[in-house]
PDB file of all heavy atoms in Angstrom:
ATOM      1  N   ASP A1707      10.660  -0.572 -12.025  1.00 98.00           N
ATOM      2  CA  ASP A1707      10.906  -0.882 -10.617  1.00 98.00           C
ATOM      3  C   ASP A1707      10.825   0.381  -9.764  1.00 98.00           C
ATOM      4  O   ASP A1707      10.450   0.342  -8.594  1.00 98.00           O
ATOM      5  CB  ASP A1707      12.249  -1.582 -10.436  1.00 98.00           C
ATOM      6  CG  ASP A1707      13.431  -0.767 -10.974  1.00 98.00           C
ATOM      7  OD1 ASP A1707      13.200   0.165 -11.774  1.00 98.00           O
ATOM      8  OD2 ASP A1707      14.575  -1.081 -10.606  1.00 98.00           O
ATOM      9  N   HIS A1708      11.178   1.527 -10.347  1.00 98.00           N
ATOM     10  CA  HIS A1708      11.096   2.826  -9.676  1.00 98.00           C
ATOM     11  C   HIS A1708      11.297   3.894 -10.735  1.00 98.00           C
ATOM     12  O   HIS A1708      11.517   3.579 -11.915  1.00 98.00           O
ATOM     13  CB  HIS A1708      12.155   2.955  -8.574  1.00 98.00           C
ATOM     14  CG  HIS A1708      13.556   2.706  -9.058  1.00 98.00           C
ATOM     15  ND1 HIS A1708      14.303   3.657  -9.721  1.00 98.00           N
ATOM     16  CD2 HIS A1708      14.340   1.600  -9.009  1.00 98.00           C
ATOM     17  CE1 HIS A1708      15.482   3.161 -10.042  1.00 98.00           C
ATOM     18  NE2 HIS A1708      15.535   1.903  -9.637  1.00 98.00           N
ATOM     19  N   GLY A1709      11.234   5.141 -10.348  1.00 98.00           N
ATOM     20  CA  GLY A1709      11.374   6.223 -11.304  1.00 98.00           C
ATOM     21  C   GLY A1709      12.814   6.688 -11.460  1.00 98.00           C
ATOM     22  O   GLY A1709      13.761   6.089 -10.930  1.00 98.00           O
ATOM     23  N   GLN A1710      12.976   7.774 -12.198  1.00 98.00           N
ATOM     24  CA  GLN A1710      14.289   8.385 -12.443  1.00 98.00           C
ATOM     25  C   GLN A1710      14.065   9.889 -12.577  1.00 98.00           C
ATOM     26  O   GLN A1710      13.338  10.330 -13.464  1.00 98.00           O
ATOM     27  CB  GLN A1710      14.936   7.810 -13.700  1.00 98.00           C
ATOM     28  CG  GLN A1710      16.329   8.296 -13.985  1.00 98.00           C
ATOM     29  CD  GLN A1710      17.388   7.570 -13.153  1.00 98.00           C
ATOM     30  OE1 GLN A1710      17.068   6.783 -12.269  1.00 98.00           O
ATOM     31  NE2 GLN A1710      18.649   7.837 -13.426  1.00 98.00           N
ATOM     32  N   GLU A1711      14.692  10.646 -11.696  1.00 98.00           N
ATOM     33  CA  GLU A1711      14.418  12.086 -11.654  1.00 98.00           C
ATOM     34  C   GLU A1711      15.402  12.869 -12.511  1.00 98.00           C
ATOM     35  O   GLU A1711      16.603  12.568 -12.555  1.00 98.00           O
ATOM     36  CB  GLU A1711      14.462  12.594 -10.209  1.00 98.00           C
ATOM     37  CG  GLU A1711      14.055  14.057 -10.084  1.00 98.00           C
ATOM     38  CD  GLU A1711      13.770  14.489  -8.662  1.00 98.00           C
ATOM     39  OE1 GLU A1711      13.912  13.656  -7.743  1.00 98.00           O
ATOM     40  OE2 GLU A1711      13.408  15.664  -8.470  1.00 98.00           O
ATOM     41  N   PHE A1712      14.884  13.903 -13.155  1.00 97.00           N
ATOM     42  CA  PHE A1712      15.702  14.822 -13.955  1.00 97.00           C
ATOM     43  C   PHE A1712      15.423  16.261 -13.511  1.00 97.00           C
ATOM     44  O   PHE A1712      15.094  17.119 -14.305  1.00 97.00           O
ATOM     45  CB  PHE A1712      15.418  14.624 -15.446  1.00 97.00           C
ATOM     46  CG  PHE A1712      15.928  13.318 -15.974  1.00 97.00           C
ATOM     47  CD1 PHE A1712      15.133  12.182 -15.923  1.00 97.00           C
ATOM     48  CD2 PHE A1712      17.210  13.205 -16.490  1.00 97.00           C
ATOM     49  CE1 PHE A1712      15.600  10.953 -16.383  1.00 97.00           C
ATOM     50  CE2 PHE A1712      17.690  11.984 -16.951  1.00 97.00           C
ATOM     51  CZ  PHE A1712      16.885  10.855 -16.897  1.00 97.00           C
ATOM     52  N   ASN A1713      15.529  16.456 -12.197  1.00 97.00           N
ATOM     53  CA  ASN A1713      15.375  17.779 -11.588  1.00 97.00           C
ATOM     54  C   ASN A1713      13.997  18.373 -11.856  1.00 97.00           C
ATOM     55  O   ASN A1713      13.847  19.596 -11.984  1.00 97.00           O
ATOM     56  CB  ASN A1713      16.474  18.742 -12.077  1.00 97.00           C
ATOM     57  CG  ASN A1713      16.673  19.912 -11.124  1.00 97.00           C
ATOM     58  OD1 ASN A1713      16.404  19.817  -9.928  1.00 97.00           O
ATOM     59  ND2 ASN A1713      17.153  21.032 -11.653  1.00 97.00           N
ATOM     60  N   GLU A1714      12.978  17.515 -11.941  1.00 97.00           N
ATOM     61  CA  GLU A1714      11.623  18.014 -12.179  1.00 97.00           C
ATOM     62  C   GLU A1714      11.153  18.985 -11.098  1.00 97.00           C
ATOM     63  O   GLU A1714      10.382  19.903 -11.368  1.00 97.00           O
ATOM     64  CB  GLU A1714      10.634  16.838 -12.272  1.00 97.00           C
ATOM     65  CG  GLU A1714      10.665  16.086 -13.587  1.00 97.00           C
ATOM     66  CD  GLU A1714      11.627  14.925 -13.577  1.00 97.00           C
ATOM     67  OE1 GLU A1714      12.550  14.899 -12.720  1.00 97.00           O
ATOM     68  OE2 GLU A1714      11.484  14.016 -14.416  1.00 97.00           O
ATOM     69  N   ASN A1715      11.611  18.767  -9.855  1.00 96.00           N
ATOM     70  CA  ASN A1715      11.165  19.621  -8.754  1.00 96.00           C
ATOM     71  C   ASN A1715      12.098  20.808  -8.505  1.00 96.00           C
ATOM     72  O   ASN A1715      11.884  21.577  -7.573  1.00 96.00           O
ATOM     73  CB  ASN A1715      11.069  18.785  -7.470  1.00 96.00           C
ATOM     74  CG  ASN A1715       9.979  17.744  -7.557  1.00 96.00           C
ATOM     75  OD1 ASN A1715       8.894  18.008  -8.071  1.00 96.00           O
ATOM     76  ND2 ASN A1715      10.247  16.537  -7.056  1.00 96.00           N
ATOM     77  N   HIS A1716      13.131  20.919  -9.338  1.00 96.00           N
ATOM     78  CA  HIS A1716      14.081  22.038  -9.248  1.00 96.00           C
ATOM     79  C   HIS A1716      14.724  22.129  -7.857  1.00 96.00           C
ATOM     80  O   HIS A1716      14.904  23.205  -7.306  1.00 96.00           O
ATOM     81  CB  HIS A1716      13.383  23.357  -9.594  1.00 96.00           C
ATOM     82  CG  HIS A1716      12.704  23.326 -10.937  1.00 96.00           C
ATOM     83  ND1 HIS A1716      13.401  23.291 -12.132  1.00 96.00           N
ATOM     84  CD2 HIS A1716      11.376  23.283 -11.274  1.00 96.00           C
ATOM     85  CE1 HIS A1716      12.546  23.240 -13.134  1.00 96.00           C
ATOM     86  NE2 HIS A1716      11.317  23.241 -12.652  1.00 96.00           N
ATOM     87  N   LYS A1717      15.083  20.948  -7.338  1.00 96.00           N
ATOM     88  CA  LYS A1717      15.812  20.875  -6.070  1.00 96.00           C
ATOM     89  C   LYS A1717      17.176  20.211  -6.260  1.00 96.00           C
ATOM     90  O   LYS A1717      17.787  19.728  -5.305  1.00 96.00           O
ATOM     91  CB  LYS A1717      14.989  20.082  -5.038  1.00 96.00           C
ATOM     92  CG  LYS A1717      13.643  20.700  -4.699  1.00 96.00           C
ATOM     93  CD  LYS A1717      13.799  22.025  -3.986  1.00 96.00           C
ATOM     94  CE  LYS A1717      12.467  22.549  -3.464  1.00 96.00           C
ATOM     95  NZ  LYS A1717      11.496  22.872  -4.530  1.00 96.00           N
ATOM     96  N   ASN A1718      17.609  20.148  -7.530  1.00 96.00           N
ATOM     97  CA  ASN A1718      18.904  19.567  -7.892  1.00 96.00           C
ATOM     98  C   ASN A1718      18.984  18.071  -7.576  1.00 96.00           C
ATOM     99  O   ASN A1718      20.033  17.566  -7.160  1.00 96.00           O
ATOM    100  CB  ASN A1718      20.057  20.305  -7.202  1.00 96.00           C
ATOM    101  CG  ASN A1718      21.371  20.130  -7.969  1.00 96.00           C
ATOM    102  OD1 ASN A1718      21.387  19.930  -9.186  1.00 96.00           O
ATOM    103  ND2 ASN A1718      22.472  20.202  -7.250  1.00 96.00           N
TER     104      ASN A1718
END
Side-chain angles (χ1 to χ4, degrees):
D1707 57 342
H1708 55 80
Q1710 184 80 353
E1711 185 166 1
F1712 290 88
N1713 201 26
E1714 283 91 340
N1715 294 319
H1716 305 290
K1717 298 294 188 296
N1718 204 28

